[in-house]
Amino acid sequence: MTGAFLVRTHGGADAMEWTEHDPGQPGPGEVRIRHTAIGLNFIDTYQRSGLYPMKLPFVPGNEGAGRVVAIGEGVEGIAIGDRLAYQGVAGAYAEERLLPVSRAVPIPDDIDDETAASVLLKGLTAYYLLHLTWPLRAGETILFHAAAGGTGLIACQWAAAIGATVIGTVGSDEKVALARNNGCAHVINYRSEDFVARVRELTGGRGVDVVYDSVGKDTFERSLECLRPRGLMVSFGNSTGPVAVPDLGILARKGSLFLTRPTGASYFQTRADTLAAADALWAIIRSGKVRVHIGQRFALSEAPAAHRALEGRGTVGSSLLLP
C-alpha cells in the first residue's frame, strides 16, 4: 500500500488529507509509475478549492515525473524502469499512480527528473502561449504578469529568445532582479508602481502587442489599458480570483482589442501535440536560452504548507514536492 493526498471536500489547503492509497494495477493503455518528483501549480489550488470543480474524492496535482513499475495491456514502446513525465492529468500528489500512456512523455537522458517535473506543465503552457495562442515574432513587445513565477520565468526567457521585448510585472522588490535576469528587459513591481503608466512610458504611448495575465481579478481590467489597438489580452489564470467581462463593449472602447482564455487541454488534445511541444521545450532548455529555476522543494508530506506558500505569493520560480 502506498500513500497519497486525497481531497474529499473542496476547501482550503487543509482539505488535503494524507491517506493510504492503492492506485491498483494498470489497465489497457496505462502504466503505473512511482513518482520521483511532483510539480506544484496554481491549477492544483483551483481544483482543491472548487474554483475548478472536480469529482470528489480526488488526488490533486497535475504534473510529475517517475519510473514505470507496471505496464498494462496493449502498451508498446515503454518498459519497466523507463522515466516518464506528464502534465495536465490530476493524481500527482501520490507516491505511485496510474497514468494513461496517451499523457506520458519520455524524459530524455540529458534531462533529470526534477527538471522534467518542474517544467513540463509550465513549459508547455509557455509554448502554447508564445507559439500557438499568438505566434510571437521578433520585434514585438509583450507584458507578462507574474514574471518571477514558474511559468513566467520560462515564458519570459523564451520570448526574449524569440526576439521580443519583454516587460514583466512582479509582486515584490525581491523578485525584480530575478525577473530581469530571466528575459525581462523591464520589470515593474505592480504593488508599488502604476504598471499602466509605466508600460505606456516604456512603449512611447503605443502599448504592447500582447498581455499575458495569470493573476486575474487584480490586474485584468487595467491590463486592457496596456494594449495597443487590436492587441491581444491572454487571460490564462486566476491567482487573485476569477475574471468576469460583463460588458464586451470595453474591448471596443480600449481599441478593438482581442481577448482569449486558453487552456492546455485545448491545445494538447493528442499525444502527438504534447510530444511536439515537449520536444520544443527540451530543445530550448538544451540551448541554454531557457534556464529552469526551482525555487522551492517541499516533502510530499508538506503539500498543504506548499499550497499556502503558493497562494500567499511566497514562492519564486517552480516548486517541487518530493516523495
Side-chain angles (χ1 to χ4, degrees), residues 8-19:
R8 301 182 192 275
T9 59
H10 293 299
D14 291 333
M16 297 187 294
E17 174 190 348
W18 182 255
T19 183

Side-chain angles (χ1 to χ4, degrees), residues 21 55 59 62 79 97 139-140 186 280 292 320-321:
H21 175 70
K55 183 180 179 181
V59 176
N62 293 269
R97 70 163 300 167
E140 294 183 321
H186 310 280
V292 179
L320 288 177
L321 303 176

Side-chain angles (χ1 to χ4, degrees), residues 260-298:
T260 186
R261 179 57 174 91
T263 67
S266 301
Y267 285 99
F268 304 123
Q269 296 188 34
T270 69
R271 192 179 186 216
D273 293 334
T274 303
L275 293 178
D279 285 346
L281 176 62
W282 307 141
I284 196 74
I285 291 172
R286 286 190 190 101
S287 75
K289 294 177 181 178
V290 168
R291 302 180 306 277
V292 179
H293 183 91
I294 301 174
Q296 299 74 216
R297 291 173 175 85
F298 302 88

Side-chain angles (χ1 to χ4, degrees), residues 38-42 44 63 93 122 298 306-307 310 319-321:
I38 298 160
L40 180 71
N41 295 279
F42 260 107
D44 305 349
E63 179 181 40
Y93 291 10
K122 292 169 277 291
F298 302 88
H307 273 222
L310 186 64
S319 300
L320 288 177
L321 303 176

Side-chain angles (χ1 to χ4, degrees), residues 10 66 94 109 125 201 217 283 287 291:
H10 293 299
D109 291 342
T125 299
E201 177 186 351
K217 184 178 66 174
S287 75
R291 302 180 306 277

Side-chain angles (χ1 to χ4, degrees), residues 52-78:
Y52 294 174
M54 300 284 285
K55 183 180 179 181
L56 298 168
F58 73 97
V59 176
N62 293 269
E63 179 181 40
R67 293 184 179 270
V68 176
V69 295
I71 298 175
E73 182 183 350
V75 174
E76 298 180 353
I78 292 176

